[in-house]
Each structure stands twice: as structure tokens, then as C-alpha cells.
Amino acid sequence: MIGSFERWGGGTLLILHVHLSGIMEPFLGSWRLVDTQNFDNYMRELGMDFANRQVGNVLKPITIIKVDGDNIILQTKSTYRNTEIIFQLDKPFNEHTADNRDCKTVVSLEGDKLIQVQKWDGKQTTLTREIKNEHLILTLTLNDVVSVRTYERELV
């Protein structure tokens, strides 16, 4: 239960006790990339060169999402490069991305979607994570380019 009821002055008051791990629970765990659509075009729109796009197209990264107190930890691991961001929902932070962009980033939970907005050099991209049919769906949007990456939960 997320909330509890308490009596106060003859009425009833609902006290919410929100636990981050509870609201993040569907996203938590280890996720392996199994399908990618239009990722090369997304990387091109980011300004990545041909060689780095070729590497990005063949990698099958693992994404790990966990909670530590008020912080969410999002790790991406691959044979090429590993990244980790630690953040709190709705609080801007500085992010250095795998493709070497320095961004001002904010992540929020909107309904059942985890939405990450990265801003740099007057540009903005949105990374939307949601769970559908037991898969983590990552939708990357930059200008009119949209890429969809599908992950399966890894069993540990």
C-alpha cells in the first residue's frame, strides 16, 4: 500500500508514503537489447560520424536500472563503453553521454513512462522508457527522427 489513513480533527486524512523503489519497480533490473529500429538515422541526427555509428549499430548493450535511497541509477554496459548516471526525478543534472555530449538532463516519471530530456548546444533529445508486454521500450526522438530500441529483461 502506498498510502495510509489517519484520523485528524474528526475527519480522515490520507497520508501518502511514496517509496521510489515502488513507483520505479516495473523498470528495475537488467535489460538486454534485442531489437533496434532507425538507430543509425538517430545517431546521424546527433552528429555522430560514420565510424562511431557503425560501432553503435552492432552493439547490444545491457541497461541496468536500480534505486538507492532517493537516487535512481541507470547504467549502460557494452563491449565498447560503459556509462552510469545517478539522478533524482525532476531534478536537473549534468550528463556526459556515451557519444561525448555534455548535456543538462532531467528525468521525470509521467504516468507509466520514464522520460529523459537532454539539452546541449541549443538542441534537445527525448528518451522515453516504458514497459510493454514485458519489454522495456526506449523511444529516442531528436527533431523529426525517431528510433525505437526494444530490451528484454535478463534473468539473474
Side-chain angles (χ1 to χ4, degrees):
M1 181 166 149
I2 293 177
S4 62
F5 290 97
E6 292 183 12
R7 288 269 184 216
W8 180 70
T12 303
L13 177 66
L14 174 63
I15 308 290
L16 289 180
H17 303 282
V18 177
H19 299 283
L20 187 56
S21 58
I23 61 174
M24 287 295 299
E25 203 265 317
F27 296 98
L28 300 180
S30 209
W31 301 89
R32 179 178 42 88
L33 181 69
V34 294
D35 185 58
T36 297
Q37 298 170 14
N38 206 35
F39 191 54
D40 189 67
N41 287 332
Y42 176 78
M43 291 186 292
R44 183 180 295 121
E45 191 74 9
L46 282 173
M48 293 177 65
D49 63 40
F50 177 78
N52 282 315
R53 289 198 325 268
Q54 293 309 301
V55 171
N57 282 323
V58 298
L59 292 177
K60 301 291 183 203
I62 303 292
T63 295
I64 301 163
I65 303 172
K66 47 190 171 180
V67 170
D68 181 16
D70 291 338
N71 294 322
I72 298 169
I73 302 165
L74 196 151
Q75 300 170 320
T76 302
K77 297 183 176 188
S78 73
T79 54
Y80 176 65
R81 187 173 286 164
N82 298 330
T83 63
E84 176 180 86
I85 57 174
I86 300 172
F87 59 91
Q88 294 180 359
L89 290 175
D90 302 313
K91 291 189 178 180
F93 62 96
N94 295 321
E95 177 183 7
H96 184 77
T97 65
D99 60 317
N100 289 318
R101 288 175 293 121
D102 289 311
C103 302
K104 182 61 94 175
T105 300
V106 67
V107 182
S108 56
L109 191 62
E110 297 180 17
D112 59 354
K113 296 179 181 179
L114 193 61
I115 300 178
Q116 178 178 356
V117 177
Q118 299 172 331
K119 295 181 180 181
W120 77 104
D121 298 338
K123 300 175 187 172
Q124 176 177 309
T125 186
T126 302
L127 295 77
T128 302
R129 292 173 178 87
E130 58 190 314
I131 307 300
K132 288 185 179 178
N133 300 320
E134 298 183 23
H135 288 84
L136 174 67
I137 308 299
L138 172 60
T139 303
L140 305 119
T141 306
L142 176 57
N143 300 324
D144 61 347
V145 178
V146 177
S147 173
V148 177
R149 294 170 64 95
T150 303
Y151 294 77
E152 285 183 348
R153 189 181 296 276
E154 285 200 313
L155 301 175
V156 240

Short mmCIF file of all heavy atoms in Angstrom, two decimals, residues 26-53:
data_model
loop_
_atom_site.label_atom_id
_atom_site.label_comp_id
_atom_site.label_asym_id
_atom_site.label_seq_id
_atom_site.Cartn_x
_atom_site.Cartn_y
_atom_site.Cartn_z
N PRO A 26 8.54 -1.43 -12.00
CA PRO A 26 8.47 -2.08 -13.32
C PRO A 26 9.75 -1.92 -14.15
O PRO A 26 10.06 -2.75 -14.99
CB PRO A 26 7.31 -1.37 -14.02
CG PRO A 26 6.48 -0.79 -12.91
CD PRO A 26 7.45 -0.46 -11.82
N PHE A 27 10.52 -0.85 -13.90
CA PHE A 27 11.73 -0.57 -14.68
C PHE A 27 12.98 -1.23 -14.11
O PHE A 27 13.98 -1.36 -14.80
CB PHE A 27 11.98 0.94 -14.73
CG PHE A 27 10.91 1.72 -15.44
CD1 PHE A 27 9.90 2.35 -14.72
CD2 PHE A 27 10.91 1.82 -16.82
CE1 PHE A 27 8.91 3.06 -15.38
CE2 PHE A 27 9.93 2.54 -17.48
CZ PHE A 27 8.92 3.16 -16.76
N LEU A 28 12.93 -1.62 -12.84
CA LEU A 28 14.13 -2.09 -12.17
C LEU A 28 14.61 -3.42 -12.73
O LEU A 28 13.83 -4.28 -13.10
CB LEU A 28 13.87 -2.22 -10.67
CG LEU A 28 13.47 -0.94 -9.94
CD1 LEU A 28 13.25 -1.21 -8.46
CD2 LEU A 28 14.49 0.16 -10.15
N GLY A 29 15.92 -3.56 -12.81
CA GLY A 29 16.51 -4.81 -13.26
C GLY A 29 17.49 -4.58 -14.39
O GLY A 29 17.91 -3.47 -14.70
N SER A 30 17.82 -5.68 -15.02
CA SER A 30 18.81 -5.72 -16.09
C SER A 30 18.09 -6.01 -17.40
O SER A 30 17.30 -6.96 -17.47
CB SER A 30 19.79 -6.84 -15.76
OG SER A 30 21.05 -6.58 -16.26
N TRP A 31 18.35 -5.21 -18.43
CA TRP A 31 17.65 -5.30 -19.70
C TRP A 31 18.65 -5.45 -20.85
O TRP A 31 19.60 -4.67 -20.94
CB TRP A 31 16.81 -4.05 -19.92
CG TRP A 31 15.80 -3.80 -18.85
CD1 TRP A 31 15.96 -3.10 -17.70
CD2 TRP A 31 14.45 -4.27 -18.84
NE1 TRP A 31 14.80 -3.09 -16.97
CE2 TRP A 31 13.85 -3.80 -17.65
CE3 TRP A 31 13.68 -5.03 -19.72
CZ2 TRP A 31 12.53 -4.07 -17.32
CZ3 TRP A 31 12.37 -5.30 -19.40
CH2 TRP A 31 11.80 -4.83 -18.21
N ARG A 32 18.44 -6.41 -21.73
CA ARG A 32 19.32 -6.69 -22.87
C ARG A 32 18.65 -6.24 -24.17
O ARG A 32 17.51 -6.60 -24.45
CB ARG A 32 19.62 -8.19 -22.92
CG ARG A 32 20.51 -8.63 -24.08
CD ARG A 32 20.78 -10.14 -24.01
NE ARG A 32 19.61 -10.93 -23.65
CZ ARG A 32 18.73 -11.40 -24.54
NH1 ARG A 32 18.87 -11.16 -25.81
NH2 ARG A 32 17.71 -12.12 -24.13
N LEU A 33 19.38 -5.48 -24.98
CA LEU A 33 18.85 -5.01 -26.26
C LEU A 33 18.60 -6.19 -27.20
O LEU A 33 19.47 -7.01 -27.41
CB LEU A 33 19.84 -4.04 -26.92
CG LEU A 33 19.39 -3.45 -28.25
CD1 LEU A 33 18.22 -2.50 -28.06
CD2 LEU A 33 20.56 -2.74 -28.93
N VAL A 34 17.39 -6.26 -27.77
CA VAL A 34 17.05 -7.34 -28.70
C VAL A 34 16.60 -6.85 -30.07
O VAL A 34 16.57 -7.62 -31.02
CB VAL A 34 15.97 -8.29 -28.11
CG1 VAL A 34 16.52 -9.04 -26.89
CG2 VAL A 34 14.69 -7.54 -27.76
N ASP A 35 16.23 -5.57 -30.18
CA ASP A 35 15.78 -5.06 -31.47
C ASP A 35 15.98 -3.55 -31.53
O ASP A 35 15.82 -2.86 -30.52
CB ASP A 35 14.29 -5.39 -31.70
CG ASP A 35 13.84 -4.98 -33.10
OD1 ASP A 35 14.43 -5.47 -34.08
OD2 ASP A 35 12.90 -4.17 -33.20
N THR A 36 16.35 -3.06 -32.72
CA THR A 36 16.57 -1.64 -32.92
C THR A 36 15.97 -1.22 -34.25
O THR A 36 16.13 -1.92 -35.25
CB THR A 36 18.08 -1.32 -32.94
OG1 THR A 36 18.64 -1.64 -31.68
CG2 THR A 36 18.34 0.13 -33.21
N GLN A 37 15.29 -0.09 -34.25
CA GLN A 37 14.74 0.46 -35.48
C GLN A 37 15.19 1.91 -35.62
O GLN A 37 15.05 2.71 -34.70
CB GLN A 37 13.21 0.41 -35.45
CG GLN A 37 12.64 -0.99 -35.36
CD GLN A 37 11.15 -0.99 -35.10
OE1 GLN A 37 10.48 0.02 -35.22
NE2 GLN A 37 10.63 -2.14 -34.72
N ASN A 38 15.78 2.23 -36.78
CA ASN A 38 16.14 3.60 -37.17
C ASN A 38 17.21 4.24 -36.29
O ASN A 38 17.32 5.47 -36.22
CB ASN A 38 14.88 4.48 -37.20
CG ASN A 38 15.03 5.65 -38.16
OD1 ASN A 38 15.67 5.53 -39.20
ND2 ASN A 38 14.44 6.77 -37.81
N PHE A 39 18.03 3.42 -35.63
CA PHE A 39 19.04 3.97 -34.71
C PHE A 39 20.15 4.69 -35.47
O PHE A 39 20.66 5.70 -35.01
CB PHE A 39 19.60 2.85 -33.83
CG PHE A 39 20.45 3.35 -32.69
CD1 PHE A 39 19.97 4.30 -31.79
CD2 PHE A 39 21.72 2.85 -32.49
CE1 PHE A 39 20.74 4.75 -30.73
CE2 PHE A 39 22.50 3.30 -31.43
CZ PHE A 39 22.01 4.24 -30.56
N ASP A 40 20.53 4.20 -36.65
CA ASP A 40 21.58 4.86 -37.43
C ASP A 40 21.17 6.29 -37.78
O ASP A 40 21.97 7.22 -37.67
CB ASP A 40 21.90 4.07 -38.70
CG ASP A 40 23.13 4.63 -39.41
OD1 ASP A 40 24.23 4.54 -38.83
OD2 ASP A 40 22.97 5.19 -40.51
N ASN A 41 19.92 6.47 -38.19
CA ASN A 41 19.44 7.82 -38.51
C ASN A 41 19.43 8.73 -37.27
O ASN A 41 19.73 9.92 -37.36
CB ASN A 41 18.06 7.79 -39.15
CG ASN A 41 18.12 7.28 -40.57
OD1 ASN A 41 19.13 7.44 -41.26
ND2 ASN A 41 17.05 6.67 -41.03
N TYR A 42 19.07 8.16 -36.11
CA TYR A 42 19.09 8.93 -34.87
C TYR A 42 20.52 9.37 -34.55
O TYR A 42 20.76 10.54 -34.23
CB TYR A 42 18.49 8.11 -33.73
CG TYR A 42 18.56 8.80 -32.39
CD1 TYR A 42 17.66 9.81 -32.05
CD2 TYR A 42 19.54 8.46 -31.46
CE1 TYR A 42 17.73 10.46 -30.83
CE2 TYR A 42 19.62 9.10 -30.24
CZ TYR A 42 18.72 10.10 -29.93
OH TYR A 42 18.80 10.75 -28.71
N MET A 43 21.48 8.44 -34.64
CA MET A 43 22.87 8.78 -34.36
C MET A 43 23.39 9.83 -35.35
O MET A 43 24.13 10.74 -34.97
CB MET A 43 23.76 7.53 -34.39
CG MET A 43 23.51 6.57 -33.24
SD MET A 43 24.67 5.18 -33.21
CE MET A 43 24.18 4.26 -34.68
N ARG A 44 22.98 9.72 -36.62
CA ARG A 44 23.37 10.71 -37.62
C ARG A 44 22.83 12.09 -37.23
O ARG A 44 23.53 13.09 -37.31
CB ARG A 44 22.86 10.32 -39.01
CG ARG A 44 23.30 11.29 -40.10
CD ARG A 44 22.79 10.90 -41.48
NE ARG A 44 23.37 9.64 -41.91
CZ ARG A 44 22.66 8.55 -42.22
NH1 ARG A 44 21.34 8.58 -42.17
NH2 ARG A 44 23.26 7.45 -42.60
N GLU A 45 21.58 12.13 -36.78
CA GLU A 45 20.96 13.40 -36.37
C GLU A 45 21.68 14.00 -35.16
O GLU A 45 21.77 15.22 -35.03
CB GLU A 45 19.47 13.18 -36.07
CG GLU A 45 18.67 14.43 -35.90
CD GLU A 45 18.39 15.16 -37.22
OE1 GLU A 45 18.66 14.62 -38.32
OE2 GLU A 45 17.90 16.31 -37.14
N LEU A 46 22.23 13.12 -34.29
CA LEU A 46 23.02 13.60 -33.15
C LEU A 46 24.34 14.22 -33.61
O LEU A 46 24.98 14.95 -32.85
CB LEU A 46 23.35 12.45 -32.20
CG LEU A 46 22.26 11.97 -31.25
CD1 LEU A 46 22.71 10.73 -30.51
CD2 LEU A 46 21.84 13.06 -30.27
N GLY A 47 24.76 13.89 -34.85
CA GLY A 47 26.02 14.41 -35.37
C GLY A 47 27.17 13.42 -35.26
O GLY A 47 28.33 13.79 -35.43
N MET A 48 26.87 12.16 -34.98
CA MET A 48 27.92 11.15 -34.86
C MET A 48 28.49 10.82 -36.24
O MET A 48 27.76 10.76 -37.22
CB MET A 48 27.37 9.89 -34.20
CG MET A 48 26.99 10.11 -32.74
SD MET A 48 26.27 8.65 -31.98
CE MET A 48 27.65 7.52 -32.01
N ASP A 49 29.81 10.60 -36.28
CA ASP A 49 30.45 10.27 -37.55
C ASP A 49 30.18 8.81 -37.93
O ASP A 49 29.67 8.01 -37.13
CB ASP A 49 31.95 10.56 -37.50
CG ASP A 49 32.69 9.71 -36.47
OD1 ASP A 49 32.40 8.50 -36.32
OD2 ASP A 49 33.59 10.25 -35.80
N PHE A 50 30.52 8.48 -39.17
CA PHE A 50 30.23 7.16 -39.74
C PHE A 50 30.82 6.02 -38.90
O PHE A 50 30.14 5.04 -38.59
CB PHE A 50 30.76 7.08 -41.18
CG PHE A 50 30.56 5.74 -41.81
CD1 PHE A 50 29.31 5.37 -42.32
CD2 PHE A 50 31.61 4.83 -41.91
CE1 PHE A 50 29.12 4.13 -42.90
CE2 PHE A 50 31.42 3.59 -42.49
CZ PHE A 50 30.17 3.24 -42.98
N ALA A 51 32.09 6.14 -38.51
CA ALA A 51 32.76 5.06 -37.77
C ALA A 51 32.06 4.78 -36.44
O ALA A 51 31.81 3.62 -36.08
CB ALA A 51 34.23 5.39 -37.55
N ASN A 52 31.73 5.83 -35.70
CA ASN A 52 31.06 5.64 -34.42
C ASN A 52 29.64 5.12 -34.59
O ASN A 52 29.15 4.36 -33.76
CB ASN A 52 31.07 6.93 -33.60
CG ASN A 52 32.42 7.15 -32.95
OD1 ASN A 52 33.00 6.24 -32.37
ND2 ASN A 52 32.94 8.36 -33.05
N ARG A 53 28.98 5.51 -35.67
CA ARG A 53 27.64 4.97 -35.94
C ARG A 53 27.72 3.48 -36.23
O ARG A 53 26.85 2.71 -35.80
CB ARG A 53 26.97 5.70 -37.10
CG ARG A 53 26.55 7.11 -36.76
CD ARG A 53 25.53 7.70 -37.71
NE ARG A 53 25.66 7.32 -39.09
CZ ARG A 53 26.35 7.99 -40.02
NH1 ARG A 53 27.01 9.09 -39.67
NH2 ARG A 53 26.38 7.58 -41.26
#
